Amino acid sequence: MKKIILSCLIIVVILIGGGLVLQKVNFNRLGADQLYTQIKGQGKMIEDKIDNGEKIIRYEYKLPSFDKNGQQQTLSFTSPKQLKENAYLMLYTKKDKGVTSYQEVAKKDLPKKVSEKLK
């Protein structure tokens, strides 16, 4: 009887732990390279219709981006909202998928070589 209760308790703990991991971990950022960019311009508005006829609006940005060593790449990505002009972003990229995620960062958090390039 003790073994059954212990087994059930272990299963519950694993399920709860797995659920928390799924909520907190952004799998689009795991194993991704990090590049930095600054928003310049309003982005190109793209309208799509989904099956039920609802309109989806996205904004496409094509910007020069820099790795921590200051090497430049031009990347294209979309956002569900218009991003703030002059905001600094950390882009998460994967070779086979392009930009998978992004987050806004403060200028003081940029690597030194990137900060010099994004003046």
Side-chain angles (χ1 to χ4, degrees):
M1 186 68 172
K2 288 182 182 181
K3 288 182 181 181
I4 294 174
I5 294 173
L6 183 63
S7 297
C8 290
L9 186 61
I10 290 173
I11 291 171
V12 168
V13 168
I14 289 172
L15 290 175
I16 291 172
L20 290 174
V21 166
L22 289 175
Q23 287 180 340
K24 299 293 181 186
V25 174
N26 185 338
F27 291 101
N28 289 323
R29 295 180 181 185
L30 288 179
D33 296 324
Q34 298 172 353
L35 287 96
Y36 301 86
T37 192
Q38 184 176 19
I39 300 300
K40 298 290 184 183
Q42 300 298 311
K44 178 183 173 187
M45 187 171 78
I46 300 171
E47 283 189 39
D48 290 324
K49 282 189 178 181
I50 56 177
D51 292 340
N52 67 4
E54 184 181 345
K55 286 185 184 180
I56 302 293
I57 297 176
R58 298 178 291 134
Y59 294 88
E60 181 179 40
Y61 295 88
K62 188 173 185 176
L63 300 166
S65 305
F66 301 91
D67 66 14
K68 65 182 178 185
N69 299 317
Q71 298 295 318
Q72 181 177 342
Q73 296 180 33
T74 299
L75 295 175
S76 180
F77 64 98
T78 61
S79 171
K81 62 181 183 176
Q82 203 165 36
L83 300 173
K84 290 191 299 188
E85 183 76 20
N86 296 318
Y88 296 99
L89 297 181
M90 180 189 316
L91 304 174
Y92 294 89
T93 65
K94 294 185 180 179
K95 289 183 182 184
D96 57 338
K97 295 183 179 180
V99 177
T100 58
S101 185
Y102 64 85
Q103 76 180 45
E104 188 171 344
V105 294
K107 182 172 174 104
K108 65 180 174 73
D109 296 332
L110 297 173
K112 184 178 179 184
K113 291 183 180 180
V114 173
S115 184
E116 292 170 358
K117 301 277 185 175
L118 292 175
K119 288 186 177 181

